[in-house]
Amino acid sequence: MATVTALGGVHSFRGERGSLSGNVDAVFSPALRLGESWSLLASARSSYEGTRRVVDVLGAATPAQERMEYRGAVRAVWADSSSRWRLKPGTSYKVSFLKETRDESWGGGLFDERLWTIGAEAEMVTREPHAVRASLDWFEASYPNYTSLESQAALQFSGQLIARELVGDKLLDRDGVRLGLSFDAPVGKRVRLDAALSSLWSRYPKQKVVNDAGLFDSRLREDILTSLTFAARMPREWNADLRTLGSVTFGASFLSSGQNGYDASRGRYMAGFYDYRELFIVPAVKILAGSQHAPVQIDASAGWRRRGYLHRLAQDGTGVYGGHALVTTEWTLTSTLTTPIAGRLSLMFTVERASASSNQRFERYYRYAYESTNALAGVRWDW
Amino acid sequence: MPRQLSEGDGVRTGFNAQVRVELRGGSVLEASGNSSFTIEADNDGQTSVAASLGFLRLTALASGGRAVTVRSPVCLAKVRGERAALSVVVSGGGNVVLEVDSGLVGVEDIRGRQMLLNAGRRIEVDLAGLREPTPVPTPAQRRAQDFMSSMRRELGFELGREADFAAAAKESRREEHRLGRVLTDLDGRRVRVEEFVVRPSADRLALVVLNGRADGLSFYSWDGVFDRALPRDLAPVFSGLAASRDAPTDWTLLSYSATRSNGVASLVERASGGHQVDVNSNGDPSDDVAAVFDAERDVYRATGGPVYKTVFDRWGLYADGTLRRGWTGSNLQSYLDAVPSTTHDPLSGAALAAALPGTVVNTTFPDAASARRSRLESYGDGTSVGVEDFGLEFAGGVAGRGAWGGSSSGDGLHRAMLDWGFEQRVTFNGRTIRLTMPARDFLVTGQLP
C-alpha cells in the first residue's frame, strides 16, 4: 500500500502572504502474512511541510517554518477466524525536524523531536465490521536540541547566582503511557456512531514543579491529557452517481498538569497554570460524485473549538493580569476537491481558513487573535 | 438447534455463527456470521429469499418450473435451469457481490438491466447498476484481497494512533512561544529567553533573565540584599523596588549588583549602603518624583506627596571588572551630595592604580525612523561604554519610532517601551552583550534610565 501527496501553495497570516511553498506526504506500507493467524504490517511515512496548515501552532507566527517528519512502525496482527478477538502489538519511531527561523538548520531545530512508542491493541469484533478496541502504549518523547538555559548557565557561569537549585536540563523530554478505548456501532439503519476515550499520562523526568516562591520543589511534573470524542456518521446514496457521508464530531479535552506558573518579573504565582478544558465540534461532509471506482470527491468541514484555562488569567495589552480566566476560540473551515485524472493519480485542491480570538490581549510573544488562510493544489497517487 | 421457519420469517446471525436452511424443493441456504435475511416465499411454486446483510450461499434446485430467487437491495438473482449454486455478499451500504459457482443465474439491477452469469463468473452491483462481470477469484486471490483489506484497515488505525502524542508535542511548543521563551531578535534570528528568581537566603533576591543564541548565552541579573527576610509572595517587593508612594516599604534594599554579561564581557553595577529617602522632601528638586510606577497595573500614577526611593552611599560601574565610574557618601539624602570616586574603589575602598578619568554621557535617538535609543558613556582615557535600546517587532527587527510614542525620556518613554519587545546591546572593549528581554525587568530593577 502506498500514497504520495504533493501540494504547493501559499499561506497567509493576518493579511500577510507567505512565499510559495509546498507540502509532500508519502506513506509506504508493506504487509506480510506470517501464518494462519499472524500478520505483520510495516509502515513508513515521510513528510515535508513548507506551507503551514490550519492545525499548526499558528499564533507563534515565526518568520519561516519548515517541517520534516519520518516515521517507521511495525505492527503484528493476530486474528483467528474462530475468535472475536484481534491482538495487535506494535512499535513505532518518529523523528521530526522543525525550522522556525532562518538561522535554524535541519537537525538543529529547537523543537526537533524523537518519539518512541511500544504497545498493543486488543480489538473485539462486535458485529462485522464494528468493534470495540482498547490500547495501551508506552512512549518516550525527547527533544535533543532543547536544554534549559538555566542548566547551561549553571555550568557555564558557575559561581554566579543565575540558576536555582534542582534545575533540570531536558525540560520538554517526557515519557508515559497512553490508554485508549474506542468503539463503533450502527445506530439505526442510517447512522454509525464512533466513540473514543484516550488518556495520556506524561511524566517529565527533568522538570521540577515550581512553587509559590518561584523556586523548584523536588516533585516532578506530571500531566494527564484526557480526550473524549463522539462522531455520528451518516452515509447516503442519493442516486447512482451521488453519494454523501455526513458527519458530526464533538468532543472534549481536559489537561490536568502538576506544573504551576511563575511570572518572575511580577513575582506572580499561578497554581495549575496549564490546566484547561476544551470543547470542540466539527460538522463535515464528503461528497462522492460519478463512478464508484474513481469518483470526484469533495470534502468540507467546519470546526469550532473553545478552550478555557482553569487558573491562568487573561492579561491586558501590557501584560497586567485581569480577573478572568484565559479563553481562546478557534474556527476552522477546510475544503478539498479531489479529481481522478489517470489511473491512480488524482488532482487535489485545498483551501483552509482559521480564525482565532481570545480575551487575552497580551500578544507580544504569541498571537491569540488572527485570521489565516492557505490555498494548496497538487496531486495524489494511491496504490 | 433446528427450528421451523415459515414464509415471512427473518434470520439474523451472530458473530461467527452459521445457519443452514433447508428450503422446499431441495434447495439449501447457508449464511455465515453477522448476516441477515428473510424467507419471503417458500411454497410449491417458488422460493424467494431477501438478503439484507452479510454472506449467503444458495444451492438451488429449480426443477419442474420452480422459481428460485435471491433479492438484495440493488438486484435480483434468479436461477436459470434446474440447478445452480451462488453466493451473495451484501455490504453495510447495500452494495452486492454475486458469484456463481455452478449453473446459470440471471441478474437484474434496479434499473431493469439484465445479464446472465455462467459458473465461475462474479459481478458487483450497486445503485448505479450492474458492473462488468469478472472471473470468480481463486481461493488464493480471495485470501489476498481479504488480507489487503484487513491490512488497509490496520494501517488507518496505525496512522491515527499518533494523534494524542502529536497534540502533546504541539502543546509543549505552543506554551514555549506563549510564555515568551522563544523569540526572534533584532537580526531575525532565534533567541531563547528564560526568566526566573533565585532566593539564596531569606533576605536576598535575584531576578535573572537568560538569553540563548546560536553563538552562546548572555544574561542580565539583578541581585539584591535586604534588611530583613522577604515574604514568599514577591509581588509587593517588586512593586516597591523602584519607588514607593506615601510610605517607605516594609523592607529596605541594602545593596545590589546588576550584571549584564555574555560570559566573556561583563558590565556590572554595584551599590551598597542603601536606605530609604523621601526624595520629594529632601531639599533637592532635581530628584523629585511626580508619578510613581505602579507595578501592579503597569501605569504611572501621579503623586503630590512623599515618594520613597532607596539611596545608596556607595555605587560603582565596572566593565570587565575595571571600575569606570563611582561615588561615595554617608547617609546620603540626595545624590547631589555624593562624592565622585577618583582614586579609590567606592565599594571596597581599595586604592586604584590610576585615577579615574572624567566621564561624558550622551543620549541620542540616532535613527529618526526606528525605536532606537543610544546612550554613550565616554571616558577621558578614550574608552567608552555604549548602551543601545531597541523596540522589537513581533517577528524580529526594529520597530518604527512611533512605537515608543513622542517622548524621548522619562515616564512617557518608559511606559511606551513596556508595550513592545525590547533588546539592549551593550558595547565596550570591542565586545557586545545582547539582551532580548522585557523592558519591564530593567524598569522594575531601576536599570532603565
Side-chain angles (χ1 to χ4, degrees), chain A residues 14-329:
Chain A
R14 279 188 162 185
E16 290 184 21
R17 213 182 82 173
S19 56
L20 189 68
S21 185
N23 297 346
V24 180
D25 190 336
V27 179
F28 173 68
S29 178
L32 186 67
R33 191 195 297 274
L34 300 176
E36 279 305 307
S37 303
W38 283 98
S39 308
L40 193 68
L41 177 71
S43 61
R45 182 173 198 165
S46 173
S47 65
Y48 166 80
E49 185 183 285
T51 305
R52 259 174 271 206
R53 308 299 295 263
V54 292
V55 293
D56 201 358
V57 182
L58 292 177
T62 45
Q65 180 172 308
E66 293 176 274
R67 176 200 298 276
M68 275 200 296
E69 284 189 359
Y70 301 94
R71 181 179 188 271
V74 179
R75 172 186 276 222
V77 180
W78 178 88
D80 192 299
S81 56
S82 64
S83 172
R84 282 174 179 268
W85 289 92
R86 293 171 188 160
L87 299 175
K88 310 160 194 178
T91 183
S92 71
Y93 181 66
K94 186 181 82 169
V95 183
S96 302
F97 302 105
L98 180 69
K99 294 204 301 183
E100 285 190 320
T101 53
R102 292 179 187 89
D103 60 323
E104 284 187 308
S105 58
W106 289 121
L110 183 63
F111 295 106
D112 286 0
E113 186 193 24
R114 313 278 185 270
L115 176 69
W116 268 110
T117 71
I118 184 165
E121 180 180 85
E123 180 179 26
M124 190 187 77
V125 177
T126 50
R127 183 177 169 193
E128 201 69 71
H130 306 291
V132 176
R133 291 180 295 280
S135 63
L136 188 68
D137 293 285
W138 169 88
F139 74 94
E140 183 184 78
S142 61
Y143 296 80
N145 301 325
Y146 189 103
T147 305
S148 73
L149 300 179
E150 193 177 354
S151 66
Q152 295 177 43
L155 294 174
Q156 186 174 333
F157 307 123
S158 59
Q160 303 226 39
L161 194 64
I162 51 173
R164 290 165 287 184
E165 282 187 66
L166 303 176
V167 61
D169 47 11
K170 300 286 189 180
L171 297 188
L172 299 186
D173 288 6
R174 58 190 180 276
D175 54 36
V177 172
R178 177 190 173 276
L179 173 69
L181 289 171
S182 64
F183 79 91
D184 61 279
V187 178
K189 291 192 171 180
R190 292 187 175 275
V191 179
R192 186 184 121 180
L193 179 70
D194 291 353
L197 168 71
S198 72
S199 189
L200 185 72
W201 172 76
S202 302
R203 184 183 70 113
Y204 294 74
K206 300 290 186 182
Q207 191 178 146
K208 300 287 196 302
V209 170
V210 175
N211 63 27
D212 61 344
L215 306 177
F216 290 122
D217 281 341
S218 56
R219 280 185 300 132
L220 292 175
R221 175 180 176 177
E222 294 179 22
D223 289 1
I224 298 178
L225 174 64
T226 306
S227 304
L228 192 60
T229 306
F230 295 95
R233 304 183 199 284
M234 294 147 282
R236 178 156 187 181
E237 290 196 68
W238 297 88
N239 57 51
D241 296 322
L242 183 63
R243 297 168 294 284
T244 59
L245 173 64
S247 68
V248 180
T249 304
F250 54 97
S253 299
F254 311 90
L255 178 70
S256 174
S257 173
Q259 185 57 286
N260 307 309
Y262 194 83
D263 184 338
S265 73
R266 296 172 188 276
R268 179 102 185 202
Y269 169 76
M270 278 169 279
F273 183 74
Y274 296 92
D275 295 358
Y276 68 75
R277 290 177 190 157
E278 185 173 273
L279 295 173
F280 65 90
I281 182 165
V282 183
V285 64
K286 181 195 293 278
I287 301 170
L288 300 160
S291 148
Q292 191 167 53
H293 294 289
V296 172
Q297 183 174 322
I298 298 170
D299 292 276
S301 71
W304 174 87
R305 186 177 294 269
R306 187 179 184 88
R307 176 183 292 190
Y309 287 87
L310 303 186
H311 308 291
R312 187 183 305 192
L313 298 176
Q315 296 162 278
D316 71 9
T318 309
V320 175
Y321 294 99
H324 295 96
L326 175 60
V327 176
T328 62
T329 305

Side-chain angles (χ1 to χ4, degrees), chain A residues 323-381:
Chain A
H324 295 96
L326 175 60
V327 176
T328 62
T329 305
E330 185 181 278
W331 287 90
T332 53
L333 289 170
T334 65
S335 60
T336 300
L337 170 67
T338 309
T339 307
I341 46 175
R344 302 175 185 278
L345 202 61
S346 303
L347 271 180
M348 290 183 76
F349 302 91
T350 295
V351 177
E352 299 173 328
R353 182 165 178 80
S355 170
S357 60
S358 172
N359 62 348
Q360 172 74 307
R361 301 287 176 261
F362 184 61
E363 292 196 313
R364 191 174 304 153
Y365 312 128
Y366 187 89
R367 301 298 197 199
Y368 288 81
Y370 56 80
E371 304 278 338
S372 174
T373 306
N374 63 53
L376 299 158
V379 293
R380 192 178 79 191
W381 178 79

Side-chain angles (χ1 to χ4, degrees), chain B residues 242-245 278-281 284-293 300-309 411:
Chain B
S244 174
R245 277 171 27 137
D278 176 4
V279 293
N280 285 357
S281 308
D284 175 9
S286 69
D287 65 4
D288 282 3
V289 174
V292 174
F293 182 66
Y300 281 90
R301 296 197 187 283
T303 176
V307 171
Y308 288 84
K309 295 180 81 169
D411 300 346

Side-chain angles (χ1 to χ4, degrees), chain B residues 278-418:
Chain B
D278 176 4
V279 293
N280 285 357
S281 308
N282 62 353
D284 175 9
S286 69
D287 65 4
D288 282 3
V289 174
V292 174
F293 182 66
D294 177 351
E296 289 284 320
R297 311 304 307 167
D298 280 6
V299 293
Y300 281 90
R301 296 197 187 283
T303 176
V307 171
Y308 288 84
K309 295 180 81 169
T310 304
V311 174
F312 297 90
D313 287 343
R314 292 169 291 280
W315 182 91
L317 178 69
Y318 301 82
D320 288 341
T322 302
L323 179 68
R324 307 307 306 170
R325 178 159 77 87
W327 74 67
T328 58
S330 176
N331 194 26
L332 289 174
Q333 297 301 301
S334 162
Y335 286 126
L336 284 179
D337 300 327
V339 178
S341 298
T342 53
T343 56
H344 289 78
D345 185 293
L347 276 298
S348 67
L352 301 173
L356 285 176
T359 306
V360 176
V361 178
N362 187 26
T363 301
T364 59
F365 288 80
D367 182 354
S370 302
R372 177 185 174 197
R373 180 176 70 171
S374 177
R375 186 168 180 273
L376 185 67
E377 203 165 299
S378 304
Y379 306 108
D381 60 2
T383 61
S384 64
V385 173
V387 179
E388 284 199 296
D389 298 323
F390 299 90
L392 289 186
E393 288 287 0
F394 181 87
V398 64
R401 178 66 180 91
W404 281 355
S407 303
S408 58
S409 65
D411 300 346
L413 177 64
H414 291 162
R415 182 62 194 79
M417 283 176 165
L418 298 185

